[in-house]
Amino acid sequence: MRFNSKALASLSLQTNMKFDKEGIVWMKDKQDGLFKKGEAFVERFCRLKGNMLFYFKSKEFTNTDPLGVLIIERCTVELDTDDENLHGFMLVYEGDENPVHFATRTEEQRDQWIQTLHIASYECLKMQLQSLREQLVSKTGHDPLDRMPQQDTCSTNTPDLSGEEPCVEICIAAKDLPNDRTGQPPNPFVMITTITPPQQNWTLNSHTEIIERSNDPQFLKTIGFGMNIKLKTRVKFTVYHVNERMTNTMSQLGYVMFDLKSLLAKPDKKLHLPLMSPDSSAAGQIQITAWVHDESILIEDNSRGSVSYGEKLQNRGLGNLKIMFSNPIKKTFRFDTNKARMQLFVQEVMAEFKWNYTLPLQLLKLFIEEERERINMLQDLGELVETFNRCRQECLDFHMSSVTMYTQSCRSLSTATPQESLFKASSIKADKEYEFVPINLHLQRMQLIDENTNTTCCYDCITHGSLAAFSQKFKCGGLLRILEDLREMRAPEGCHGKQSKLDRACHLLNCLASLKHAVHFRCSRLCRVAMQGTAAELKEAMEQLNLQVNTIVFYCFPFKFIL
C-alpha cells in the first residue's frame, strides 16, 4: 500500500475534525528491554477516522506524530478470551497469524469499540449503501445514486459509432444547476440514453465529460447519433453531480426527455428545456444544439439517400488511412469563435495499425531465410582443417539455434494474434509470445473542419513504446546504460576542466598516430647510421629515438612515467 506519511500524521492530529471514536485502550506490544522481554499490554490513545485507526503513546499528542496506524480492511473483530482479567478484543487480518490484541477498562467500552470497528471498513459501508439503495428503489421506484460509467467512448454499453460518421450531432449546455449539500457548485456530468418505439428499454448512447465546480457548464464534447436514429426516437438527458471520482459515485440533479423530431423541427436546431429533479422540482435548464449531417433523416419514411451524406463527410475520419489503420476511436468537440455563428469543429481519432502483427511475421520469415542461406554456404565449404572445421561447426550451431528461435517465435506469434484488437498494450510488453510486436503503436489524428467550405486540416502522429526487448530482462543494461555512458564520455573532467573524456581520447589517438610515423622514421635513421655513420651520429640517433619512445610511454602510462 502506498501512503503519504506526512498527510496521515496531519490527519491524525486534527483538532477541529470529529473522529468516529477516540479514547484510551491497551494494546499488546513487544517489550525488548533489559529486564522486560516478551509481550505486554501498554496504554495507548486511539483515534478512529473512517477505516484508519491511529494510536498515540499518550493522550497528550498535540505535537507528536502517531506511533502507527491500522487499516481496518480485510479483517474481523473478535473477542479475546485469553486473559480473563481484561476485557479484550482483537483484530484478525486475512493471511496474518498474529492478530492485534486490545483491552479496555470495562465491558461496555469493549462492546462500543467492537461495534464501531465492525462498521468502519469500506466493505461494510458499501454493503450498507447497497441495502439503503434497495430500500429506496422498493419505495420510490428509482435509485437516487448511480454508478458512474467509465470515461470511455468505446464502452460495451455504448453503440459503436467508430466505423461510421454521425448523421446527427448535438452539443449540450446547462444553466442554473443547484449547488451540492455543502453549498459548493456541482461537478456536472450528463448521461445520454435513447429509446425508439416499439422498444421497451432505454439504451445508453454516450456521455459528456465532467466539468469541475460549475453551475453553468458548457460541455465541449459532442454527442453523435448514427444511421439507426429516427425522428420518433426519444432522448433522455440525466444530469449528475459527481460526488467522488475515487468511488465512482454520483447523485442525480435532474433529467429531461424529448423526441428528436421536436429538436430537428426548430429552424435554428436549438431547444431550451427545464430540468426536473427526482422530487419533481425545478433543477435548472438545459440547452441543446443540433447539427444535421445527413438531411435524409428529416424524411419520415425509411428511404434515405446516402450519396450527399457520404460526399459531405468524405474528408472526416481516417479517409485513405483506412487502408493501414482500423478500429478507430473518435471524439468530437466544438468551440466558439470570434465570428458570429461560426464554431470550430475538432475531431480526435485514435486507430490501430492493421499490420501490427503481419509485418513482424514477414520479418521473421526473412530472418529464417537468411539464416538458412548462411547454413547452406557453410555446408558448401567442403572439407576443412581441424581448426577451421571447429569454427564452422560453432557457426552452424549458432545459425541453427537462430532458425529454431525465429521459427518458434513465428509460430507462437501466428497463434497469439488477437482477433478483436491489433493493439499490443504495454501490460504485455514482457510476454515472450509478443516479443517482436511493437508496443502501443497507433495513429493519433486531430482534425479541424470548416463545415461551411467542407475543408479539413489534420495533424497525424504515429506513437509507439520504447523499442526495447523487455522479455530479455536487460541483464547487461539497455538503452539507458548506453546513453549514460555516452553522456559521461562527453562530460568535462574535473571541476574546472574543459576537455571531456571523448576529446581527450581523440587527442591521444592523434598524438599516437603522429608518434608512430616519427618512431618509424627514427628507427630507419638509426639503422642507416649504425651501418654507415660514426659513433657520435649513432649516439645522437639513439637519443632522438629514446625521446620519441618516452613520449609514447607518457601518453599511454602517464602515472607510471611520473613515478
Side-chain angles (χ1 to χ4, degrees), residues 462-515:
I462 302 291
T463 62
H464 57 81
S466 176
L467 301 177
F470 290 96
S471 59
Q472 303 297 331
K473 306 301 183 184
F474 299 107
K475 294 180 180 179
C476 299
L479 181 61
L480 290 178
R481 177 73 63 83
I482 298 175
L483 292 176
E484 186 65 27
D485 293 342
L486 182 60
R487 190 180 297 111
E488 291 180 358
M489 288 292 294
R490 295 185 178 274
E493 292 184 321
C495 299
H496 304 286
K498 297 182 179 180
Q499 193 178 36
S500 64
K501 290 182 179 180
L502 188 60
D503 295 336
R504 192 166 65 86
C506 294
H507 175 69
L508 179 61
L509 289 176
N510 293 331
C511 293
L512 291 176
S514 61
L515 287 172

Side-chain angles (χ1 to χ4, degrees), residues 410-447:
C410 190
R411 187 183 301 111
S412 60
L413 189 59
S414 300
T415 57
T417 302
Q419 301 297 327
E420 68 281 357
S421 177
L422 300 173
F423 182 74
K424 176 186 175 182
S426 57
S427 58
I428 58 174
K429 63 183 180 182
D431 196 335
K432 190 69 175 177
E433 294 181 349
Y434 302 95
E435 180 180 5
F436 293 93
V437 181
I439 305 170
N440 292 336
L441 177 61
H442 60 273
L443 167 72
Q444 289 182 338
R445 162 171 284 195
M446 183 178 72
Q447 286 183 313

Side-chain angles (χ1 to χ4, degrees), residues 288-305:
I288 308 159
T289 305
W291 293 269
V292 179
H293 301 304
D294 185 6
E295 299 293 340
S296 63
I297 194 176
L298 302 177
I299 304 175
E300 292 289 347
D301 56 16
N302 295 327
S303 59
R304 296 182 183 176

Side-chain angles (χ1 to χ4, degrees), residues 41-52:
F41 280 99
V42 183
E43 182 179 306
R44 298 288 183 239
F45 182 75
C46 297
R47 309 183 85 188
L48 177 66
K49 182 62 179 178
N51 60 350
M52 294 180 292

Side-chain angles (χ1 to χ4, degrees), residues 37 45 87 101 105 126 142 175 187 285-287 324 341 345 364 409 473 476 545 550:
K37 290 188 179 294
F45 182 75
H87 305 284
H101 296 267
R105 297 177 184 272
K126 187 177 179 181
H142 68 274
K175 187 178 180 181
N187 303 321
Q285 297 180 354
I286 194 165
Q287 175 182 333
M324 296 182 293
R341 298 184 178 181
F345 180 83
L364 285 172
S409 299
K473 306 301 183 184
C476 299
L545 179 61
N550 288 336

